[in-house]
Amino acid sequence: MLKIRLSMGGAKKRPVYKIVVADSRFPRDGRFIEKVGFFNPLLPKTKKERVNLQAERIKHWISKGAKPTLRVSRILGEAQLYPMPPKGNNPLKAIPKKDRKKDKSEGEKPVAEGAKKEEPKKEAPKAATPKTEPKKEEPKKE
């Protein structure tokens, strides 16, 4: 299956990505069929040098059945070459992972810093239900 995806390059902590058409079985930075653009995430979004796309070649490969990955489909959506994917919903994203685990163990929903914590709702006492004790087995007499 053909994919339009990012292939990583650049130096340590200075990533630069090529947008390539590749077989999905090939390694991320390995063999590809054609380079159709590049993406530099370190540049501000306002600079035009951040993303460069070969629109005609991308349309050609999409017509041949190539599917863009989620990140590439967002880049193509901003350039109006492909429909923008729906936004995901991850309300826990702003909370550090270690804090998420603490809150889950307490049984509360984690709240991001700066957000108001809601008071727990007081429930009306339920009607008293008779508690039945488990049957006790008598020791066997031999």
Side-chain angles (χ1 to χ4, degrees), residues 1-129:
M1 176 178 194
L2 291 177
K3 291 275 188 185
I4 301 175
R5 64 182 181 197
L6 297 175
S7 176
M8 195 166 142
K12 184 176 180 182
K13 300 199 181 212
R14 310 274 311 155
V16 177
Y17 297 95
K18 291 184 285 192
I19 299 172
V20 298
V21 177
D23 190 315
S24 61
R25 297 171 290 187
F26 295 159
R28 178 194 71 187
D29 299 334
R31 196 164 122 198
F32 60 88
I33 299 167
E34 183 179 352
K35 179 184 169 189
V36 292
F38 68 84
F39 171 61
N40 187 350
L42 298 178
L43 293 176
K45 290 183 179 181
T46 56
K47 290 208 171 197
K48 69 175 189 174
E49 296 89 30
R50 179 180 167 94
V51 177
N52 183 13
L53 302 170
Q54 297 174 7
E56 289 184 23
R57 295 305 297 165
I58 291 171
K59 289 177 186 175
H60 167 78
W61 284 109
I62 289 173
S63 70
K64 295 281 186 185
K67 300 272 188 235
T69 60
L70 182 62
R71 179 64 55 188
V72 172
S73 61
R74 290 184 67 190
I75 293 168
L76 297 178
E78 290 171 2
Q80 282 124 22
L81 294 174
Y82 196 78
M84 186 68 100
K87 291 192 176 198
N89 182 21
N90 186 358
L92 303 179
K93 187 175 182 182
I95 302 168
K97 200 170 198 177
K98 60 183 178 183
D99 294 343
R100 286 184 227 166
K101 291 181 181 176
K102 287 181 190 175
D103 291 339
K104 282 185 182 177
S105 64
E106 294 171 7
E108 297 178 4
K109 289 184 179 177
V111 179
E113 279 189 44
K116 293 181 182 178
K117 290 187 178 180
E118 293 182 17
E119 295 289 328
K121 296 179 182 178
K122 295 179 182 177
E123 296 180 11
K126 295 182 180 177
T129 55

